[in-house]
């Protein structure tokens, strides 16, 4: 499903270069539920951005669903994001001026589906996350948990090859977080691959596999292993440009 | 096209959009009416005069003192001016057409005291007037040398027996009847025969409704003031101005003043100064309104792009291409502009109706409304293009930033 080989990402400014990822290699099989953990600055967000084709790696190769996606054009990356990847963001990232129906509709319009197909997909996805009765509500009229479920519906409506979740419960209280995790587990049990970035060891335990990042590299990759205590792990190295 | 969700989003953030739509509406109403009025002024200024204004120089001689001899001075001036290289023709004149200064009186077509009179702006010219003004006599003839009365002629105060009139004046006097050979009468019932019809010539006052009621008498203006209309060969006019002045000064500088040696274009421009100022002011107002409205659109679009950076990043993350983002902003702006234009159309027509009723100006030609709409749509497109391009460059990675 997802295979990264020797991925590096370097951010350069006039004064410093920051190595966010250093030769990271990771393989995720179809149907897996993988938690990517690590302390702040370990490279989780950079990994997520590259895995989700939101940015490109400085070097290395990335195969997604059997296709090399590391050298694609901006338009091609947009198309693959739209068709193969479902995003779930920590802050939900719903468009506040659109109701839930229209929010779920946004990626489907970019996909070019006709009105009837879009409607069917939206209703099915909202049904799946238990928000069918709230489709005409604005995001501001929903609780945080409901908003995240709406965001999950938006991610699912296009039948993606896998879901990329960025701290999906980071802005939720424990009860809502549990409901969202239950929903993700259920989605995964239905066959959708999920890669979830989190710093919460409790959430990571619910994944099939825990990949721990440290200084832009994989420190451990263990099935059903809770995350190590990462409180003392240093930020990634900042090196002056020669 | 995602028009419904865009309209829905615009409605929920309507303050800025409504203000800009109202600005567009007002701009359309004002710009279209200003354009129409400016065009009317410009057309008014550009009316064909019938004369070769571009090549005409005018000059004035003002005699003084007991030694001044009016007819002798005119004779000498005409001889010298007509001999100048580059001069086509010269006529002494009682006034300069389109100068804002002239004489007029009413004439009738019968001796009947109650016969209606039609006012004409009259000029005293000699036999060179047709050439000197560059007008075209389409019927009859010009004056002959013998017909032209000198200022010292004993019958000077009586109406000369021949006149030349413009076609427009002929039609107002005689209707469909041929005017050539007909007699016209002044208030004392002295008559003159129409010996020539001028195709077209304007008189003294550019804002007079019967501006083309013009009549020529074969006379020299009595002293001590005389004007000359000097027609130069094309391209010679400006070089001749100092030569004309110097020639006249050399002929007689002891008992007359030579003044106002200038192009007829300057004279005409002075007459149209007010109209030109109105047209210029309207055009400047149109440009300023467009600039202000354009800046308003740019400001709102730039603000919304900044405000929606995260939303744009999210749209990009879930599959929008750069061109989808550009299209979103162009569509949103097009909708806002169109709403403004629809409201503005009603305002434009209402404003024109009010102006036409209050000031008796011409009713709006709707072509100008269509031009105004097109210009505002284009303005909206151009104004939003750069903010939309900036929006399309927002990285999809912005979606994963938590701040």
């Amino acid at each position: 499903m997802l295979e990264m080989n020797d991925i590096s990402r370097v951010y350069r400014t006039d004064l410093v270069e920051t190595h966010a990822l250093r030769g990271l290699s990771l393989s995720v099989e179809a149907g897996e539920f993988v938690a990517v953990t690590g302390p702040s600055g370990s490279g989780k967000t950079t990994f997520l951005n590259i895995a989700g084709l939101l940015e490109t790696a400085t070097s290395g190769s990335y195969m997604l669903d059997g296709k090399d996606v590391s050298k694609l054009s901006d338009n091609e990356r947009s198309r693959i994001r739209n068709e193969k990847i479902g995003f779930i963001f920590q802050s939900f990232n719903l468009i506040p001026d659109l109701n839930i129906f229209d929010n779920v509709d946004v990626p489907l319009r970019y996909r070019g589906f006709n009105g009837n197909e879009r409607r069917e997909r939206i209703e099915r996805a909202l049904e799946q996350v238990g928000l069918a009765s709230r489709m005409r509500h604005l995001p501001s009229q929903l609780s945080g948990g409901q908003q995240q479920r709406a965001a999950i519906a938006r991610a699912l409506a296009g039948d993606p090859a896998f879901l990329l979740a960025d701290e999906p419960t980071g802005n939720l209280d424990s009860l809502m977080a549990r409901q969202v995790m239950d929903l993700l587990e259920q989605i995964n049990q239905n066959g959708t691959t999920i890669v979830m970035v989190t710093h919460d060891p409790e959430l990571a335990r619910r994944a099939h596999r825990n990949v721990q990042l440290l200084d832009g590299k994989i420190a451990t990759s263990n099935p059903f292993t809770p995350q190590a205590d990462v409180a003392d792990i240093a930020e990634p190295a900042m090196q002056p440009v020669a | 096209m995602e028009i419904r969700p865009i309209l829905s989003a615009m409605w929920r953030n309507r303050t800025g959009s409504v203000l800009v739509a109202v600005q567009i509406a007002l701009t359309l109403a004002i710009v279209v009416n200003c354009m129409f009025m400016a065009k009317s002024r410009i057309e008014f200024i550009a009316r064909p005069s019938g004369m070769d204004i571009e090549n005409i120089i005018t000059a004035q001689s003002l005699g003084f003192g007991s030694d001044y001899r009016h007819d002798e001075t005119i004779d000498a001036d005409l001889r010298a001016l007509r001999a100048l290289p580059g001069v086509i023709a010269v006529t002494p004149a009682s006034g300069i057409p389109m100068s804002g200064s002239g004489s007029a009186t009413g004439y009738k077509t019968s001796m009947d005291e109650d016969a209606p009179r039609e006012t004409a702006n009259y000029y005293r010219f000699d036999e060179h007037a047709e050439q000197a003004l560059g007008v075209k006599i389409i019927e009859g003839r010009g004056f002959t040398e013998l017909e032209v009365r000198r200022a010292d002629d004993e019958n000077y105060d009586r109406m000369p027996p021949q006149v030349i009139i413009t076609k427009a004046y002929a039609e107002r006097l005689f209707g469909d009847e041929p005017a050539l050979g007909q007699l016209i009468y002044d208030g004392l019932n002295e008559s003159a025969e129409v010996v020539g019809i001028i195709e077209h010539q304007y008189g003294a006052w550019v804002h007079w409704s019967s501006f083309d009621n013009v009549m020529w008498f074969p006379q020299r203006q009595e002293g001590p003031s005389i004007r000359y209309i000097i027609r130069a060969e094309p391209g010679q006019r400006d070089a001749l101005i100092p030569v004309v002045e110097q020639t006249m000064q050399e002929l007689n500088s002891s008992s007359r003043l030579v003044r106002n040696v200038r192009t007829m274009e300057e004279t005409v421009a002075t007459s149209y100064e007010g109209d030109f100022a109105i047209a210029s002011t309207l055009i400047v107002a149109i440009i300023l309104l467009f600039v202000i409205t354009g800046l308003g659109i740019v400001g709102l679009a730039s603000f919304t792009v900044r405000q929606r950076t995260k939303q744009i990043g999210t749209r990009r993350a879930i599959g929008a291409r750069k061109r989808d983002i550009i299209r979103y902003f162009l569509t949103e702006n097009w909708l806002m502009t169109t709403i403004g234009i629809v409201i503005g159309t009603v305002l434009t027509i209402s404003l024109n109706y009010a102006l036409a009723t209050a000031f008796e100006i011409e009713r709006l030609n709707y072509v100008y409304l269509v031009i105004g709409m097109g210009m505002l749509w284009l303005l909206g497109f151009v104004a939003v293009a750069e903010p939309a391009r900036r929006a399309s460059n927002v990285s999809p990675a912005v979606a994963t930033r938590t701040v």
Side-chain angles (χ1 to χ4, degrees):
Chain A
M1 169 60 60
L2 179 156
E3 190 166 343
M4 289 179 169
N5 280 310
D6 203 21
I7 291 285
S8 293
R9 183 67 169 100
V10 182
Y11 296 103
R12 291 188 173 88
T13 68
D14 289 344
L15 294 175
V16 293
E17 59 180 34
T18 306
H19 293 258
L21 292 180
R22 299 162 183 262
L24 180 145
S25 296
L26 176 68
S27 180
V28 176
E29 299 301 323
E32 263 197 300
F33 187 163
V34 176
V36 178
T37 60
S40 176
S42 61
K44 294 193 302 292
T45 300
T46 305
F47 161 77
L48 179 98
N49 287 346
I50 291 171
L53 304 183
L54 301 178
E55 60 182 292
T56 52
T58 308
S59 63
S61 71
Y62 176 18
M63 303 286 287
L64 178 63
D65 210 14
K67 183 179 179 182
D68 185 356
V69 292
S70 42
K71 299 278 189 293
L72 295 179
S73 69
D74 189 78
N75 275 351
E76 286 170 317
R77 288 205 306 275
S78 294
R79 187 179 60 77
I80 290 177
R81 283 198 299 269
N82 184 253
E83 293 178 5
K84 293 190 182 294
I85 306 171
F87 286 94
I88 301 164
F89 302 101
Q90 180 177 352
S91 311
F92 326 135
N93 290 19
L94 295 170
I95 295 168
D97 304 320
L98 300 180
N99 64 31
I100 298 307
F101 183 96
D102 287 337
N103 262 287
V104 179
D105 193 23
V106 172
L108 304 181
R109 282 180 181 271
Y110 295 135
R111 186 95 165 250
F113 289 135
N114 65 37
N116 285 338
E117 177 152 15
R118 294 203 318 265
R119 173 171 292 280
E120 280 171 25
R121 282 173 177 267
I122 294 164
E123 287 173 357
R124 193 166 62 230
L126 287 173
E127 194 78 43
Q128 193 175 350
V129 300
L131 284 178
S133 61
R134 303 290 170 96
M135 63 173 69
R136 298 299 168 194
H137 285 58
L138 288 171
S140 58
Q141 295 169 314
L142 301 181
S143 68
Q146 287 172 323
Q147 287 186 53
Q148 192 58 299
R149 277 152 55 199
I152 292 170
R154 180 178 65 187
L156 289 175
D159 290 330
F162 79 107
L163 289 183
L164 262 180
D166 178 19
E167 305 276 10
T169 60
N171 282 3
L172 302 177
D173 62 33
S174 56
L175 176 64
M176 289 183 179
R178 197 159 55 244
Q179 287 174 351
V180 166
M181 281 309 296
D182 289 345
L183 179 59
L184 288 178
E185 276 183 340
Q186 183 196 327
I187 290 164
N188 175 246
Q189 280 160 14
N190 290 340
T192 304
T193 310
I194 298 178
V195 176
M196 176 179 70
V197 169
T198 182
H199 68 278
D200 185 340
E202 291 302 316
L203 292 183
R205 273 194 204 99
R206 298 180 66 166
H208 301 163
R209 182 154 58 111
N210 179 12
V211 174
Q212 187 189 332
L213 296 186
L214 186 62
D215 286 349
K217 288 188 277 197
I218 294 176
T220 58
S221 178
N222 301 316
F224 305 106
T225 303
Q227 185 185 4
D229 182 3
V230 293
D232 298 328
I233 294 173
E235 295 291 308
M238 305 274 279
Q239 300 172 351
V241 174
Chain B
M1 290 291 282
E2 44 186 338
I3 287 176
R4 191 190 52 75
I6 291 176
L7 276 175
S8 167
M10 278 170 71
W11 179 247
R12 294 204 169 88
N13 291 290
R14 55 188 170 272
T15 309
S17 303
V18 165
L19 286 176
V20 173
V22 167
Q23 188 180 1
I24 289 167
L26 290 173
T27 300
L28 182 70
I30 297 168
V31 159
V32 169
N33 281 288
C34 284
M35 261 199 306
F36 187 59
M37 287 192 278
K39 163 252 160 197
S40 300
R41 287 294 100 188
I42 290 165
E43 279 181 358
F44 182 77
I45 293 168
R47 291 175 299 176
S49 69
M51 295 171 280
D52 185 17
I53 289 175
E54 292 77 17
N55 292 307
I56 290 174
I57 299 165
T58 61
Q60 185 183 9
S61 166
L62 183 61
F64 60 84
S66 54
D67 293 340
Y68 176 68
R69 299 286 175 271
H70 190 61
D71 275 314
E72 285 82 342
T73 301
I74 294 172
D75 289 337
D77 284 344
L78 289 174
R79 267 195 308 276
L81 292 174
R82 284 171 181 156
L84 289 175
V87 169
I88 292 175
V90 185
T91 182
S94 55
I96 306 299
M98 302 180 78
S99 65
S101 169
S103 305
T105 191
Y107 296 93
K108 50 192 183 170
T109 55
S110 77
M111 294 183 74
D112 183 353
E113 284 299 321
D114 297 328
R117 295 180 185 204
E118 180 70 28
T119 303
N121 172 208
Y122 64 84
Y123 291 93
R124 297 187 175 102
F125 294 140
D126 74 3
E127 71 278 13
H128 295 273
E130 182 186 0
Q131 278 287 299
L133 287 164
V135 298
K136 189 174 172 190
I137 292 181
I138 52 172
E139 283 183 68
R141 60 175 178 80
F143 299 132
T144 65
E145 189 178 354
L146 289 174
E147 287 168 348
V148 178
R149 286 182 180 170
R150 294 167 65 89
D152 56 6
D153 191 294
E154 59 184 14
N155 291 318
Y156 183 85
D157 289 336
R158 304 199 60 182
M159 188 170 179
Q162 303 87 19
V163 290
I164 294 173
I165 59 176
T166 54
K167 184 171 175 241
Y169 188 49
E171 286 169 357
R172 288 188 185 115
L173 276 177
F174 299 103
D176 293 337
E177 305 241 329
L180 195 67
Q182 299 264 26
L183 293 178
I184 61 169
Y185 299 86
D186 66 10
L188 300 172
N189 272 338
E190 291 190 12
S191 65
E193 181 191 347
V194 177
V195 298
I197 308 284
I198 305 162
E199 183 178 42
H200 174 61
Q201 187 211 322
Y202 279 144
W205 308 284
V206 296
H207 295 100
W208 185 29
S209 58
S210 303
F211 189 28
D212 46 3
N213 276 6
V214 178
M215 178 185 289
W216 295 359
F217 291 125
Q219 274 181 313
R220 282 182 179 177
Q221 173 70 15
E222 59 190 334
S225 172
I226 187 74
R227 290 179 175 80
Y228 298 108
I229 293 172
I230 304 149
R231 185 163 165 229
E233 287 173 1
Q236 299 296 310
R237 182 194 69 181
D238 291 347
L240 269 172
I241 290 173
V243 179
V244 165
E245 185 156 9
Q246 191 185 352
T247 302
M248 290 174 68
Q249 294 281 12
E250 284 172 2
L251 284 169
N252 178 1
S253 58
S254 61
S255 63
R256 65 104 173 261
L257 290 173
V258 176
R259 58 182 203 174
N260 297 333
V261 182
R262 60 187 173 199
T263 66
M264 192 168 174
E265 268 183 345
E266 287 173 70
T267 305
V268 173
T270 305
S271 290
Y272 283 124
E273 221 164 36
D275 301 285
F276 187 74
I278 290 170
S280 307
T281 306
L282 291 171
I283 290 167
V284 169
I286 290 167
I287 293 168
L288 282 177
L289 268 172
F290 268 111
V291 169
I292 291 166
T293 304
L295 289 176
I297 295 170
V298 170
L300 181 66
S302 300
F303 173 72
T304 54
V305 167
R306 269 201 308 278
Q307 195 187 32
R308 293 189 216 159
T309 301
K310 180 103 177 188
Q311 185 189 126
I312 296 163
T314 302
R315 283 179 182 271
R316 292 278 284 131
I318 62 180
R321 295 158 300 181
K322 287 186 173 190
R323 65 169 175 263
D324 293 320
I325 300 296
I326 289 174
R327 192 170 57 189
Y328 179 91
F329 279 94
L330 292 183
T331 306
E332 184 181 66
N333 183 70
W334 178 82
L335 285 169
M336 186 178 67
T337 308
T338 303
I339 291 168
I341 283 173
V342 169
I343 300 167
T345 301
V346 177
L347 278 179
T348 304
I349 294 168
S350 307
L351 180 62
N352 179 255
Y353 180 79
L355 289 172
T357 308
F359 303 110
E360 293 183 350
I361 60 168
E362 210 179 335
R363 282 287 161 81
L364 179 68
N365 180 340
Y366 290 113
V367 168
Y368 289 87
L369 183 58
V370 175
I371 293 171
M373 288 171 162
M375 287 168 74
L376 277 169
W377 266 313
L378 183 66
L379 176 74
F381 180 81
V382 170
V384 84
E386 175 55 22
R389 191 196 62 78
R390 259 186 282 130
S392 75
N393 283 333
V394 170
S395 165
V398 165
T400 58
R401 286 180 201 151
T402 48
V403 180

